[in-house]
Amino acid sequence: MISAFPNAMPVEGFIGGVLIGLAAATMLLGLGRIAGVSGMAARATGIADSGAPRNIAIAFIIGLPLGAFLVSRLFGEVHVSFPTSLLPLIAGGLLVGFGTRLGSGCTSGHGVCGLSRLSPRSMVATALFMASGFATVAAMRFGGLL
C-alpha cells in the first residue's frame, strides 16, 4: 500500500501533541496563564506588561529552541529549509507578528489553549488561521511556488 503521506511520523506527532498539551495544562493550572508563544515572547521582551511573570516567560521562550536542540541530539538532526533570501523571512516574520497582535494571540494560544477552553473568540481565530493557511497553500500551488 502506498501512503499519501510518505514522510508522516504519527507516533512522533502524537508524542509531541501530548507534550504540548501537558505544557499548556501545566501553565494554565499552575499559573493561571495561557501558554501562547506570542504572548510569552511579548512578555519576555518587555513589549507586554501583563501575563506570566517575566522570568517564566523568558524561560518559556528559551526552552523552545533548547527543547528542539535536545530532541535533535537524542533522535537525530531535523532537516529544514529556508528561502535563500532574507526578504521573505523578514516579511513573513513581520506579518506574523502583526497578525498575532491584531488577533490577540497566535496559533498556540488560540488553537491549543483557547479551543480546549471552548473560547468562542479562539474558535473564530483558529478557523481564520486554518482558512488562511489553506488559501496560502492553494495560491502557492496555483502560482507554481510549491
Side-chain angles (χ1 to χ4, degrees), residues 27 33 39-40 43 48-54 57:
M27 190 80 172
R33 300 290 180 192
M40 291 292 195
R43 182 69 178 122
D49 293 329
S50 62
R54 190 159 188 221

Side-chain angles (χ1 to χ4, degrees), residues 6 12-13 17 25 28 36-37 41 49 53 61 63 80 83 91 101-102 107 119 126 132 135:
E12 292 84 350
L28 185 60
V37 176
D49 293 329
I61 295 301
V80 297
R101 297 303 284 181
L102 181 67
T107 53
S119 164
T126 303
S132 298

Side-chain angles (χ1 to χ4, degrees), residues 33 36 72 104 119 133 146:
R33 300 290 180 192
S72 74
S104 299
S119 164
L146 190 66

Side-chain angles (χ1 to χ4, degrees), residues 4-100:
F5 302 100
N7 298 318
M9 300 173 72
V11 173
E12 292 84 350
F14 176 77
I15 292 169
V18 168
L19 290 173
I20 290 169
L22 286 172
T26 300
M27 190 80 172
L28 185 60
L29 296 173
L31 292 175
R33 300 290 180 192
I34 300 297
V37 176
S38 64
M40 291 292 195
R43 182 69 178 122
T45 59
I47 294 172
D49 293 329
S50 62
R54 190 159 188 221
N55 60 339
I56 297 290
I58 290 169
F60 186 94
I61 295 301
I62 290 171
L64 293 172
L66 182 61
F69 174 76
L70 292 174
V71 167
S72 74
R73 292 294 157 242
L74 289 171
F75 300 105
E77 290 294 323
V78 176
H79 300 285
V80 297
S81 62
F82 295 98
T84 54
S85 169
L86 283 179
L87 185 61
L89 291 174
I90 293 169
L94 290 172
L95 287 171
V96 167
F98 176 74
T100 58

